[in-house]
Amino acid sequence: MGGPRTGVITDLLRAWSQGQPEALEELAPAVESELRKLARSHLSRERGDHTLEPMELVNEAYLRLLTQNRVRWENRAQFFALAARIMRRVLVDHARRRGAVKRRATRISLTPQAAAPGREPEPADVIDLNDALVQLFEVDPCQAQIVELRYFGGLTMEEVAQALELSASTVKREWRLAKLWLYARLREGRS
């Protein structure tokens, strides 16, 4: 998610935080392609016949981001982490609206590194994954933030380390532990 626009995006976010509405007008086109990429990533983990299109997910997330008036934007990693969290909420809301009968059809894949080689774990339901992530926030907020930034935000280990002010080795270790914890929680929920 890095690139030449990283500094520009950060500057626009800070200007928007300081009440400069023209910054928001410049920000929208600067982040649109990355938000679309993030939406496609989210939807690629969903079932093939999902009724949300990437642009619909981007639009809904962007509308919700616009209401974040009390956020003091520090950098692009913070912005895309919040965008990822909002997209996750949009997908969970969408799945809940589809109803409990159809709930099992909404699936995403969570592949822990501890899985046996050549063996893909069962896909996790988006609502179950969300519930497990909420539980992880209660147990270990740092690990939960890492999952949001990596899995839902698409940030690199280095970007996560920078955003959370941690070392890259700490992020890698916590990422592995968080995935194992989530995988165990999801398997437990199926039993």
Side-chain angles (χ1 to χ4, degrees), residues 13 17 26 42 45 62 65 70 85 95 104 120 123 139 162 164 173 176 183 185:
L13 286 166
S17 287
E26 290 181 50
H42 277 290
R45 298 180 199 118
Y62 196 72
L65 280 165
R70 297 182 353 194
R85 181 179 295 166
R104 287 291 155 204
E120 182 72 20
V139 173
Q162 179 186 8
L164 298 179
R173 180 183 64 247
R176 282 191 304 271
Y183 185 61
R185 182 67 62 195

Side-chain angles (χ1 to χ4, degrees), residues 16-17 65-74 78 82:
W16 181 30
S17 287
L65 280 165
L66 290 177
T67 65
Q68 305 299 312
N69 298 331
R70 297 182 353 194
V71 174
R72 278 287 180 219
W73 297 110
E74 296 296 325
Q78 176 197 21
L82 184 55

Side-chain angles (χ1 to χ4, degrees), residues 115-144:
R119 183 176 157 242
E120 182 72 20
E122 296 176 37
D125 179 276
V126 69
I127 295 174
D128 292 341
L129 179 58
N130 181 69
D131 293 346
L133 191 56
V134 168
Q135 291 173 2
L136 182 57
F137 263 108
E138 293 172 9
V139 173
D140 194 318
C142 181
Q143 286 182 1

Side-chain angles (χ1 to χ4, degrees), residues 75-131:
N75 56 45
R76 64 177 297 288
Q78 176 197 21
F79 176 82
F80 286 107
L82 184 55
R85 181 179 295 166
I86 288 172
M87 285 185 188
R88 176 173 57 95
R89 288 179 186 158
V90 169
L91 290 170
V92 169
D93 291 348
H94 184 76
R96 286 191 173 129
R97 279 192 305 270
R98 288 186 54 84
V101 173
K102 295 182 180 179
R103 188 177 118 161
R104 287 291 155 204
T106 307
R107 298 199 154 315
I108 57 175
S109 177
L110 178 69
T111 307
Q113 289 181 336
R119 183 176 157 242
E120 182 72 20
E122 296 176 37
D125 179 276
V126 69
I127 295 174
D128 292 341
L129 179 58
N130 181 69
D131 293 346

Side-chain angles (χ1 to χ4, degrees), residues 43 150 177:
L43 291 170
R150 287 279 299 144
L177 292 171

Side-chain angles (χ1 to χ4, degrees), residues 32 53-65 87:
E32 182 184 359
E53 293 293 323
M55 209 54 214
E56 290 174 302
L57 184 54
V58 168
N59 290 339
E60 180 64 28
Y62 196 72
L63 288 173
R64 292 185 189 191
L65 280 165
M87 285 185 188

